[in-house]
Amino acid sequence: MFRIVFLFASLLITTSADATTFDLPDENSRVVGHNLIVYSHEEDTLLDIARRFDLGYSEIVNANPDIDPWLPGAGKRVLVPNQFILPDAPHKGIVVNLAEMRLYYFPAKKNNQRQQVITHPIGVGREGWTTPLGKTRIIQKKKDPTWTPPASIHAEHIEKGDPLPKVVPAGPDNPLGAYAMRLAMPGYLLHGTNRPYGVGLRVSHGCIRLFPEDIEHLFSIVPVNTPVEILYQPYKAALYKDALYLEAHETQSDIDVRHGNNMTPMVKAILNAQDSVLSDDDWPFAEHVVRQHQGVVKMVNQQHTNIVEDVWFIHGGVNQDAKNKMTQALTTLNSGDYFWPIQGGALGEVLVGPFENEQQAEQMAREVNRLTNMPVWTVNVSSDVL
């Protein structure tokens, strides 16, 4: 008989954004989420896993540099970097960090509730079409938008032998997807996409694109006049549970004139986090994090993420569809007897376990997959979740 523990937060009545919504313990909190290890299926690509956990292409690939993103194979140990250091910016409105290709939305607090943050991966402007930095706001929201390509994009497509119509109507061929939010910066939008594989890459003409399911969530909750700050912070640092955590992303040469291993921005990030420089013993670790620029949050002097290898769970990803189906399957299996309050997890995240061994976890994953027809993985989680 399996002993099942799962996060049973509000079952099917929570909003679809809950899967990527985090409560902040206090106004100064800057670390959310948790890392985990997923053991891949034969048919998986890293992009399949990334989208189920609301990660972009670069996030999953940079965290797993030794794994073929298209053919990882069965049973590969895939690090899912679902822990984030919030950008060093006010917790207000939308904050976009181009360096990590990720968006953070801080909705207005209600009554005495805690501040929340909703985060999603994004695609941004490619080199030569860099998304501009600065402060702006949402000035318009449009469902099923049409797209009127500017002259520069018309010229680019003509040169490629792929001319565009003057106006691209709403529908599956529209690169804006089903939802768009216009910025006060002329010509720039937050929008969906008909090419979701571009999320987590620098592929746009400067606009900020999101997975279709993510822009739908944001569109429903972000009001017009919401402030937006677009910044560039490749290196981040924050104190969390009395320890210093670091996060480093690859620098972008068209934005950052410094070479990739320049430590000055990391020094500034550390000083902002703790008002003192690192000790001589800790400094080599910070240099190592910057050189690797994997985008994985790491505690100072901890070479590897704090994953507990011998405790087994199953997981279906951090989205509302996974939560609903997992909940229904466990009810059908009469296995929803307990719940596990995941420390630092997303509000809608469902974790099932622990199991005595990997084989028991795999058996339950197969049962849930049979009932839901969705991917379910065996996972190990970080110690702070336990």
Side-chain angles (χ1 to χ4, degrees):
M1 182 68 181
F2 295 104
R3 172 175 168 78
I4 305 299
V5 183
F6 80 108
L7 185 64
F8 200 81
S10 303
L11 287 180
L12 307 181
I13 61 174
T14 55
T15 67
S16 56
D18 275 349
T20 51
T21 300
F22 299 90
D23 277 336
L24 301 184
D26 58 64
E27 293 183 358
N28 297 318
S29 297
R30 289 190 55 217
V31 180
V32 298
H34 62 93
N35 296 317
L36 66 155
I37 296 295
V38 162
Y39 292 86
S40 60
H41 303 144
E42 181 67 35
E43 66 275 15
D44 285 337
T45 69
L46 288 190
L47 275 70
D48 295 328
I49 296 172
R51 190 165 180 182
R52 293 296 293 192
F53 287 90
D54 206 33
L55 296 170
Y57 177 90
S58 295
E59 290 175 305
I60 196 78
V61 170
N62 291 343
N64 298 276
D66 298 325
I67 297 179
D68 185 331
W70 303 107
L71 294 169
K76 280 294 176 68
R77 188 177 182 274
V78 178
L79 173 60
V80 175
N82 253 356
Q83 188 171 47
F84 311 102
I85 296 177
L86 304 182
D88 189 8
H91 294 174
K92 182 179 180 181
I94 292 173
V95 178
V96 172
N97 187 6
L98 297 184
E100 62 177 317
M101 286 181 276
R102 182 158 282 272
L103 172 152
Y104 299 87
Y105 173 51
F106 300 90
K109 291 172 62 175
K110 298 178 181 178
N111 300 324
N112 294 321
Q113 293 181 351
R114 290 179 175 178
Q115 177 67 63
Q116 294 183 331
V117 60
I118 299 166
T119 181
H120 296 301
I122 56 175
V124 298
R126 67 179 187 258
E127 192 164 351
W129 296 85
T130 305
T131 304
L133 303 175
K135 294 182 179 181
T136 183
R137 60 189 176 90
I138 302 292
I139 61 171
Q140 183 188 49
K141 296 167 61 176
K142 180 69 174 178
K143 186 178 184 300
D144 297 323
T146 59
W147 179 45
T148 303
S152 56
I153 296 179
H154 271 296
E156 180 184 272
H157 278 259
I158 290 172
E159 185 177 342
K160 293 179 179 178
D162 178 31
L164 293 170
K166 289 185 177 180
V167 178
V168 179
D173 295 327
N174 190 317
L176 302 185
Y179 300 90
M181 297 190 288
R182 186 173 300 278
L183 301 179
M185 292 176 172
Y188 292 96
L189 305 167
L190 295 173
H191 63 79
T193 180
N194 61 347
R195 297 178 178 179
Y197 53 80
V199 173
L201 290 170
R202 298 190 63 191
V203 292
S204 80
H205 289 92
C207 287
I208 296 166
R209 62 175 64 173
L210 296 96
F211 285 134
E213 59 271 23
D214 291 344
I215 188 63
E216 182 179 3
H217 299 164
L218 286 179
F219 189 91
S220 68
I221 59 176
V222 173
V224 171
N225 288 322
T226 294
V228 177
E229 182 171 6
I230 303 173
L231 44 76
Y232 173 78
Q233 292 180 5
Y235 307 144
K236 298 184 290 180
L239 289 175
Y240 178 59
K241 296 182 178 179
D242 298 322
L244 181 65
Y245 285 75
L246 307 178
E247 180 182 345
H249 297 265
E250 186 173 8
T251 56
Q252 299 172 6
S253 59
D254 56 328
I255 300 177
D256 194 338
V257 297
R258 296 175 293 249
H259 292 293
N261 291 336
N262 186 295
M263 293 299 296
T264 302
M266 180 59 85
V267 172
K268 290 181 178 178
I270 291 169
L271 288 173
N272 286 341
Q274 65 173 19
D275 296 326
S276 63
V277 296
L278 292 177
S279 68
D280 290 342
D281 291 338
D282 291 339
W283 190 245
F285 176 80
E287 292 180 319
H288 175 72
V289 170
V290 169
R291 283 195 302 270
Q292 282 194 319
H293 51 71
Q294 289 183 289
V296 178
V297 175
K298 293 185 177 181
M299 187 173 74
V300 168
N301 265 343
Q302 185 180 56
Q303 293 293 333
H304 304 286
T305 54
N306 55 338
I307 300 295
V308 181
E309 302 284 352
D310 56 351
V311 180
W312 296 91
F313 294 84
I314 66 172
H315 207 305
V318 288
N319 60 51
Q320 187 67 15
D321 177 66
K323 175 186 175 180
N324 290 348
K325 289 182 177 179
M326 186 80 82
T327 299
Q328 292 167 349
L330 293 175
T331 301
T332 300
L333 294 168
N334 294 318
S335 298
D337 300 331
Y338 305 95
F339 70 92
W340 184 280
I342 303 175
Q343 298 296 320
L347 297 187
E349 188 173 0
V350 176
L351 187 68
V352 180
F355 299 94
E356 293 181 4
N357 52 54
E358 183 180 7
Q359 290 71 34
Q360 285 191 351
E362 288 176 344
Q363 183 178 341
M364 178 56 77
R366 287 192 294 269
E367 285 295 303
V368 174
N369 171 260
R370 178 180 61 83
L371 291 171
T372 63
N373 196 32
M374 75 173 189
V376 181
W377 294 275
T378 56
V379 303
N380 302 132
V381 297
S382 57
S383 58
D384 50 358
V385 172
L386 304 177

